[in-house]
Amino acid sequence: MGFSLKFYLQGKVTVQMKKESGKTKTVSGDVVDILQKYGTVETDTKLQLVQIPKFKTKKESIQSEAEREKKQTLNSLGDLFNPDVTGLSTAPRCILIEGEAGGGKTTFLSKEALDAISQKTELGMRHNIVLFIRLREVREGETIEEMVWDQCVPKRKVVTIESIETILEQNESHVLFLLDGYDELRPEARAAGQAIPRLLSGKLYPNSTIVITSRPSAGVQQHTRPDCHVHIKGFSPEHMVKYVRKYFISNPELAEDFIGKYFAISPFLNQKTFLNDQKLSLIQTPMFLMLVCVLWEEDQEMVSTGTMTGLYDNLLTCLVRKYCKREGVDMPTEGLPTEVAESLLQLGKLALEALLRNEALLDITEVEKENVNCELLLKLGVVSLEVSSSKLHPRKQLNFSHKTMQEFLAGRYVAHALLNQGIVELLQLTSITKVFALSNLLQFTCGCDSRAAQAVMEELSNLSKKEFSHLQPDDFQEKHHLSVKPEFKESGKTYRRFMWFCLDVLKERKDPDLLQAVSKTLPVIIMDLQSLRKPHAALKYYLENIQSSQLPDRMILESSSVNVSEALQYLEQIVPSPIPGLKVDLRLKYVTVNSLVPDETVQHLQQCLPGLIVDLRPLGQFDSPNETARLVSVLKNVPGLRVLDLSRTRLTPSSLQPLVQGFSHMSLLEELDLSYSYNLGDAGIEVLQVWLSSVPHLAVLRLGRVYMTAVGMSSLAPYMRLLLGLTELDISGNAVGDTGLESLTTILPIFTAMQVLGLCNISISPTGMHTLVPALCQLTRLIKLDISENTIGDPGLECLVAILHHLTAMKVLVLSRTGISDRGISSLIKALPHLVQLQVLDVSGNNIGDSGIVSLVQTLCQPSSLDMEQNPPGDKSLTTAPHCNTTLQELHIGFNWRITGAGLGRVAQLISALPALTRLDMRGYGCTLTHLSDTAAIALAKALPRLPALEVLGLWGISMEPAGFWAVVQVAEEHPTLERLWYSEAGVPEGADTTASCLVLW
């Protein structure tokens, strides 16, 4: 179907081609004509594409972070058809390509179209019909066939919309839709029922393939879950250098001057290239790199502005200067010629109106009605005149050189208009979502004028108070005892993005008044050291100039995988001098191979393979006293340090010594986490305990898995008496035993504020429980108790149950792998009515049978007395089903060897009375699959829609028949919040479809 290929790919492009002589030739015209005349168009410059996986597959979970990053870098879209890359068993139907403005999305997609039509790529070889559709041209009510006829078909009388429909239907599996610019699709064309949303959702041409480009968060995901999500990161330093040399091919000296100033090429790292001037980091974006090259060629002094606005201002000045020289017009020493300035403001007004309509083109007739000097604007080069390729809506229109140019001109106008109008009235700025949609425009506005920046930031502050007032600093941190509510999780993500936008505004205009406005707008600053290998210019300015009265409520610095040297270097750069009063949370915990795997996966593996050895070596380490001494020297500059998390950093007794000596500079420390420091041992505890008096405000102490024994616990206990405000203590995974526990219980009652107590896997026996329980009885504020992996058995649980009526604040109770049976569950059931706030219950990995687990779930499904008080039976406002427990969020009942498929089926019938559940663990036992009948599986499938908050469903060790498996997976895939359905690969029925995005096989 070679003719059909050329027949259905149409549109005008501009291509720069290199001739044999070395000179370049620019060719404009129809893509098919170019291919016919010049053959395949080659390009040497590639963009970095990074695949964003939805969830970890089994393979991704157990490989190192470095391997995962390497795997995610793609050479082309063809890699997405390789199951080893994507983890998909079938070819992707929908590929979403996201990138920031000017990142090269349209250029990339155009190149993919050219390569596909020549059948030199995987996309081209798989598809015979290639349809490139510019979504900005799509109107409300247009059908897919009308779009194809309008944009893709040359003028041929024999072609009708009906014939196009026939061809698409007959060749559906060979059709490739290339949809460019979802963010430019008109709002009315995005509505449900319109053609593009129906195509994305699979209601139209479900067997076709779609590649769609968009700026981030434009909303593609509301219509489909893309099979592959790709992000265009922009140019790597190597590609930047390559581009510069190609741009200045006729003047190599200019190219090398540019490269020498802004890049460093290391002779020690295989000539690896680095960007050595962070003020020019925006040139990673291809559009901005091109503009910088234009300016460098014209005037090298105009390049190093370090801001988007400065770059575009200089570009505009350059264009006006060239115009004045050509036309014989005097160029003022400052500012622009009057006629030019007025015309640009008029154009900015029209650009703004078009942006608010989500349009990128200006109809020439509408422009002329405003008495705008189009001829002048065309001569300047900020817009070009083109005839629409649309046959349905033919018109002459002004097209901006790039959407960012439209946003820049609109921003200039807004900065001018704000003298007489309010920001809300002018931009309809009514929500954070609208802020993100207009982020570039707002950034340009702030960069153009300090008063405009103040007005914008004041309104952002109002929006921040309105939309984030429910968030507290602690809501941005992972809680060790409670699951984060979905609304808080989403709000946290939105706030982080909003924070970055505000800092980008500050980078555009470093102004003391604007700094004060930003500080009011951002009560919390959160920085991931992993993503910020070099200091963010705005953050550095923020910290260097912030006044004590402007300090944020909290600054959170976190990292999960950067090495120690990089983290320390970064900290030294951003806090080179003391900042009194700044409250800082520093979390330098490091990801290990083990922590890449979810906890439940590790437990499952260890149960199935008792001899399994997991490499626990951390990616970062503080095993050198020099490194910890260097850390302390940095922390002296933040006397308001509140949190210090050094878990998994390989601390040793000798490296701990300089750290604890530095406690004298950290007197306000409230949280200390040294967990998973396997080399500390009792010797490390001796080093730590002496210095606990230096941190009297310590409320959280985590010493899990530090190889402490009963000797260490007995030694530590007397020093802990100084920590009267302790609210959390975790000594899990240590060989404490009943003897060490006895030392702890002598001081435990003094911690009347205790809320979280972690005693997992410390070798407690039933005898030890008799020692522990009287002390627990005094901790009436306790909200989490974890005594998992201790062989307390039914006698130990019965001892605990006897005092649960004193612990009515309990929200999390973890009893997994404690050796309890139906007898212990029977006693627990009697105490459950007292736990009116229970949110998490874990009884997995025990000896419970069908009778016990069904009785437990039946009891849990009854509404608590708290629910009954808040929603009495006669209350008409009750929105949940009757007889529901609305407090329980997590229930773990899996891996109980005496629970059968029949028992799980009965649980499935009951579970819908727990509508607040976010996690449900119904695993079978070990590697012996527990079979769910079709009746039980269908009961589970019916229950899932009645669990509207469910995020994770664990069904490892389960097998089902085809009908039951299909029913559960189909409902899970359609569930609005379910992210992961864990299932055993061995339990999948033969021939079953396993392509559901939520399904993770093990």
Side-chain angles (χ1 to χ4, degrees):
M1 292 187 66
F3 175 76
S4 293
L5 279 169
K6 297 177 182 179
F7 185 74
Y8 285 108
L9 177 65
Q10 185 189 1
K12 299 199 180 304
V13 295
T14 300
V15 181
Q16 194 175 66
M17 305 177 66
K18 188 168 130 178
K19 301 167 97 177
E20 291 181 4
S21 63
K23 295 182 179 180
T24 58
K25 178 179 182 179
T26 300
V27 181
S28 296
D30 184 89
V31 291
V32 175
D33 293 338
I34 290 176
L35 282 174
Q36 288 175 332
K37 189 171 182 180
Y38 298 101
T40 303
V41 179
E42 298 288 348
T43 176
D44 294 329
T45 305
K46 297 178 182 177
L47 296 173
Q48 285 183 295
L49 298 175
V50 175
Q51 183 189 5
I52 303 173
K54 292 179 213 168
F55 307 110
K56 297 185 185 76
T57 62
K58 173 178 70 174
K59 188 180 294 184
E60 289 170 327
S61 294
I62 59 177
Q63 64 193 4
S64 73
E65 188 70 20
E67 288 173 335
R68 289 181 63 217
E69 182 64 27
K70 184 178 178 181
K71 278 256 182 182
Q72 289 172 6
T73 301
L74 309 177
N75 294 316
S76 70
L77 290 186
D79 288 350
L80 298 178
F81 293 88
N82 182 348
D84 291 336
V85 173
T86 64
L88 300 174
S89 57
T90 59
R93 176 187 179 263
C94 181
I95 300 169
L96 171 61
I97 301 177
E98 286 190 331
E100 297 296 341
K105 300 181 294 297
T106 296
T107 304
F108 177 77
L109 200 61
S110 299
K111 176 64 168 59
E112 285 293 326
L114 289 168
D115 287 346
I117 203 173
S118 63
Q119 294 192 318
K120 63 179 289 187
T121 61
E122 189 71 24
L123 275 177
M125 289 184 282
R126 287 172 174 265
H127 303 93
N128 293 329
I129 300 177
V130 180
L131 304 171
F132 191 104
I133 297 175
R134 293 168 177 81
L135 295 181
R136 68 184 185 183
E137 296 277 4
V138 173
R139 301 296 183 95
E140 180 182 13
E142 276 189 88
T143 65
I144 296 297
E145 298 76 28
E146 287 173 334
M147 294 175 205
V148 172
W149 186 86
D150 184 31
Q151 295 192 44
C152 305
V153 181
K155 293 180 180 178
R156 296 174 184 267
K157 294 181 180 179
V158 296
V159 180
T160 64
I161 291 174
E162 290 74 19
S163 64
I164 291 172
E165 183 176 11
T166 300
I167 293 173
L168 295 183
E169 287 178 349
Q170 291 176 350
N171 299 277
E172 184 179 332
S173 61
H174 298 289
V175 175
L176 171 64
F177 288 101
L178 301 176
L179 308 179
D180 184 43
Y182 180 82
D183 52 291
E184 296 181 9
L185 182 65
R186 291 176 172 87
E188 59 271 18
R190 295 188 191 189
Q194 291 293 307
I196 293 299
R198 294 185 68 206
L199 176 66
L200 290 173
S201 64
K203 294 176 182 176
L204 294 175
Y205 303 111
N207 297 316
S208 63
T209 301
I210 299 169
V211 180
I212 183 167
T213 67
S214 177
R215 291 192 190 185
S217 305
V220 174
Q221 292 88 339
Q222 67 181 313
H223 304 302
T224 184
R225 286 187 180 182
D227 300 299
C228 293
H229 185 171
V230 177
H231 186 71
I232 292 184
K233 293 179 68 176
F235 284 142
S236 66
E238 288 83 0
H239 288 144
M240 292 183 219
V241 167
K242 194 171 185 180
Y243 178 90
V244 170
R245 285 179 173 144
K246 287 178 66 177
Y247 183 91
F248 294 108
I249 195 168
S250 59
N251 194 342
E253 290 184 5
L254 266 182
E256 295 312 313
D257 287 345
F258 184 97
I259 293 166
K261 181 166 184 177
Y262 295 109
F263 295 91
I265 301 177
S266 170
F268 306 107
L269 298 172
N270 298 320
Q271 302 299 310
K272 187 172 179 61
T273 304
F274 300 91
L275 184 66
N276 68 3
D277 189 339
Q278 288 303 303
K279 287 187 293 185
L280 211 63
S281 59
L282 52 78
I283 65 173
Q284 288 179 277
T285 303
M287 182 68 184
F288 297 150
L289 178 57
M290 183 198 74
L291 297 182
V292 167
C293 287
V294 171
L295 289 175
W296 185 262
E297 192 172 29
E298 182 69 19
D299 183 351
Q300 296 180 13
E301 296 300 320
M302 301 177 77
V303 170
S304 298
T305 66
T307 67
M308 286 173 53
T309 310
L311 180 61
Y312 274 73
D313 257 334
N314 286 346
L315 178 66
L316 191 60
T317 301
C318 181
L319 292 174
V320 174
R321 190 182 293 166
K322 286 176 177 289
Y323 161 79
C324 290
K325 187 176 181 180
R326 284 195 314 268
E327 301 296 321
V329 177
D330 289 335
M331 180 74 181
T333 307
E334 292 185 10
L336 304 176
T338 303
E339 185 182 8
V340 172
E342 290 176 354
S343 295
L344 287 172
L345 278 179
Q346 287 178 307
L347 179 60
K349 181 175 183 291
L350 296 174
L352 174 63
E353 292 169 352
L355 277 175
L356 296 178
R357 295 193 303 269
N358 204 44
E359 295 176 1
L361 302 169
L362 302 178
D363 192 311
I364 193 70
T365 57
E366 297 299 320
V367 174
E368 289 173 344
K369 286 179 184 178
E370 299 292 328
N371 295 318
V372 175
N373 190 340
C374 293
E375 183 181 357
L376 170 60
L377 296 172
L378 290 169
K379 286 181 178 179
L380 285 173
V382 292
V383 289
S384 59
L385 180 63
E386 66 175 45
V387 179
S388 169
S389 60
S390 169
K391 295 184 293 295
L392 286 173
H393 314 288
R395 64 199 180 280
K396 288 183 179 181
Q397 54 199 10
L398 292 181
N399 186 17
F400 294 93
S401 57
H402 191 264
K403 189 174 181 181
T404 48
M405 178 58 77
Q406 179 186 6
E407 292 165 323
F408 167 65
L409 293 171
R412 290 179 81 251
Y413 170 75
V414 172
H416 172 78
L418 281 176
L419 295 173
N420 302 310
Q421 284 181 273
I423 188 74
V424 176
E425 176 189 0
L426 198 59
L427 297 181
Q428 303 152 31
L429 205 61
T430 54
S431 68
I432 298 293
T433 303
K434 193 65 182 287
V435 170
F436 293 153
L438 299 175
S439 58
N440 278 344
L441 166 65
L442 291 169
Q443 200 166 329
F444 281 128
T445 300
C446 294
C448 286
D449 182 81
S450 59
R451 287 174 299 178
Q454 280 286 102
V456 168
M457 196 53 65
E458 284 176 13
E459 188 53 38
L460 293 184
S461 181
N462 293 335
L463 290 174
S464 176
K465 291 173 184 174
K466 184 172 77 171
E467 299 203 23
F468 302 125
S469 59
H470 63 292
L471 290 176
Q472 298 299 317
D474 288 340
D475 292 327
F476 295 99
Q477 295 296 304
E478 175 188 353
K479 292 180 173 61
H480 289 252
H481 50 283
L482 294 174
S483 58
V484 181
K485 293 181 179 180
E487 60 268 25
F488 280 79
K489 191 184 297 183
E490 286 305 310
S491 292
K493 288 179 183 177
T494 303
Y495 180 85
R496 286 173 185 249
R497 186 180 172 199
F498 177 72
M499 178 204 73
W500 275 113
F501 170 71
C502 292
L503 289 177
D504 282 340
V505 168
L506 187 60
K507 186 170 71 172
E508 286 294 308
R509 179 165 291 278
K510 295 184 175 114
D511 179 275
D513 291 334
L514 188 61
L515 172 63
Q516 186 174 357
V518 168
S519 67
K520 290 180 181 177
T521 306
L522 300 177
V524 178
I525 299 288
I526 313 166
M527 289 290 157
D528 185 346
L529 302 186
Q530 179 184 359
S531 62
L532 290 175
R533 300 300 174 101
K534 301 216 175 201
H536 189 279
L539 178 64
K540 200 168 187 308
Y541 174 79
Y542 179 99
L543 292 174
E544 287 174 351
N545 296 277
I546 198 76
Q547 302 298 314
S548 58
S549 60
Q550 302 168 350
L551 291 172
D553 295 338
R554 191 79 51 80
M555 181 173 177
I556 301 170
L557 300 173
E558 56 191 13
S559 168
S560 57
S561 64
V562 295
N563 64 47
V564 166
S565 179
E566 285 181 335
L568 289 174
Q569 183 179 8
Y570 182 83
L571 289 170
E572 287 166 346
Q573 288 174 326
I574 64 172
V575 283
S577 57
I579 308 178
L582 181 65
K583 294 181 180 178
V584 176
D585 292 7
L586 180 61
R587 300 184 183 276
L588 293 180
K589 56 185 179 182
Y590 289 82
V591 173
T592 65
V593 174
N594 200 39
S595 62
L596 285 174
V597 186
D599 290 344
E600 57 263 39
T601 311
V602 177
Q603 295 162 5
H604 182 69
L605 280 172
Q606 290 172 338
Q607 289 160 348
C608 291
L609 303 169
L612 180 69
I613 298 175
V614 181
D615 184 0
L616 294 173
R617 289 173 298 173
L619 298 177
Q621 53 191 28
F622 270 109
D623 56 358
S624 163
N626 292 335
E627 298 287 8
T628 48
R630 187 177 164 195
L631 174 62
V632 169
S633 68
V634 175
L635 295 181
K636 287 179 181 178
N637 291 331
V638 281
L641 187 71
R642 176 189 171 275
V643 173
L644 182 59
D645 183 347
L646 298 179
S647 55
R648 295 185 173 93
T649 56
R650 234 180 198 186
L651 284 162
T652 65
S654 60
S655 66
L656 183 64
Q657 186 74 47
L659 182 67
V660 296
Q661 287 175 346
F663 281 175
S664 57
H665 304 288
M666 311 173 199
S667 59
L668 299 179
L669 193 68
E670 297 175 17
E671 180 179 323
L672 177 65
D673 192 341
L674 305 179
S675 301
Y676 295 92
S677 296
Y678 298 99
N679 298 317
L680 281 182
D682 290 341
I685 295 300
E686 285 186 22
V687 172
L688 171 68
Q689 63 194 24
V690 179
W691 292 93
L692 287 180
S693 60
S694 301
V695 283
H697 300 286
L698 199 68
V700 176
L701 178 60
R702 300 193 187 105
L703 297 172
R705 295 166 179 80
V706 296
Y707 276 35
M708 175 173 58
T709 69
V711 174
M713 187 70 252
S714 301
S715 173
L716 176 66
Y719 292 90
M720 289 177 59
R721 289 182 177 275
L722 302 169
L723 308 177
L724 293 178
L726 208 61
T727 61
E728 179 175 346
L729 175 65
D730 186 1
I731 58 169
S732 298
N734 291 298
V736 171
D738 289 346
T739 304
L741 183 65
E742 188 172 353
S743 300
L744 176 63
T745 55
T746 58
I747 62 164
L748 206 53
I750 71 172
F751 302 124
T752 55
M754 184 73 72
Q755 295 182 338
V756 178
L757 185 58
L759 304 175
C760 166
N761 190 20
I762 61 169
S763 303
I764 306 176
S765 71
T767 302
M769 285 300 292
H770 282 280
T771 304
L772 174 65
V773 163
L776 286 180
C777 191
Q778 308 298 313
L779 307 183
T780 57
R781 297 184 184 180
L782 203 64
I783 62 175
K784 176 180 178 179
L785 175 63
D786 183 353
I787 53 174
S788 59
E789 298 184 51
N790 291 292
T791 54
I792 64 171
D794 292 333
L797 178 58
E798 288 167 347
C799 185
L800 173 64
V801 165
I803 57 104
L804 281 183
H805 63 281
H806 293 288
L807 308 180
T808 56
M810 186 77 71
K811 294 182 179 181
V812 181
L813 182 58
V814 185
L815 301 168
S816 57
R817 295 174 300 285
T818 52
I820 58 178
S821 68
D822 287 358
R823 169 187 153 188
I825 289 296
S826 296
S827 64
L828 177 62
I829 286 172
K830 296 173 184 176
L832 283 179
H834 298 291
L835 305 182
V836 294
Q837 299 186 58
L838 192 65
Q839 295 180 13
V840 179
L841 178 63
D842 188 346
V843 293
S844 61
N846 286 300
N847 305 323
I848 307 168
D850 288 350
S851 174
I853 210 65
V854 171
S855 298
L856 175 67
V857 175
Q858 281 178 328
T859 305
L860 289 170
C861 288
Q862 297 301 315
S864 67
S865 59
L866 185 65
D867 289 330
M868 296 299 287
E869 289 174 15
Q870 294 176 348
N871 300 294
D875 187 354
K876 302 296 183 183
S877 66
L878 186 63
T879 55
T880 55
H883 308 298
C884 289
N885 180 324
T886 58
T887 60
L888 197 69
Q889 297 178 17
E890 294 188 24
L891 178 60
H892 303 263
I893 58 173
F895 211 75
N896 276 284
W897 67 275
R898 292 178 53 236
I899 296 179
T900 68
L904 290 179
R906 180 70 182 119
V907 168
Q909 293 173 342
L910 298 168
I911 209 71
S912 58
L914 298 173
L917 279 184
T918 60
R919 299 176 71 95
L920 174 59
D921 167 20
M922 295 174 61
R923 289 173 294 164
Y925 181 72
C927 298
T928 304
L929 300 181
T930 301
H931 187 71
L932 277 191
S933 65
D934 279 349
T935 302
I938 290 170
L940 177 59
K942 288 181 178 178
L944 292 183
R946 298 171 188 166
L947 302 175
L950 193 65
E951 297 175 2
V952 179
L953 175 60
L955 295 177
W956 282 315
I958 297 290
S959 65
M960 302 183 203
E961 298 297 332
F965 179 81
W966 181 84
V968 171
V969 171
Q970 183 186 41
V971 172
E973 183 71 350
E974 294 173 354
H975 196 286
T977 62
L978 190 64
E979 297 176 348
R980 284 175 287 176
L981 168 58
W982 293 93
Y983 197 81
S984 295
E985 196 166 1
V988 176
E990 187 175 352
D993 184 357
T994 58
T995 60
S997 62
C998 67
L999 187 62
V1000 182
L1001 297 177
W1002 185 269

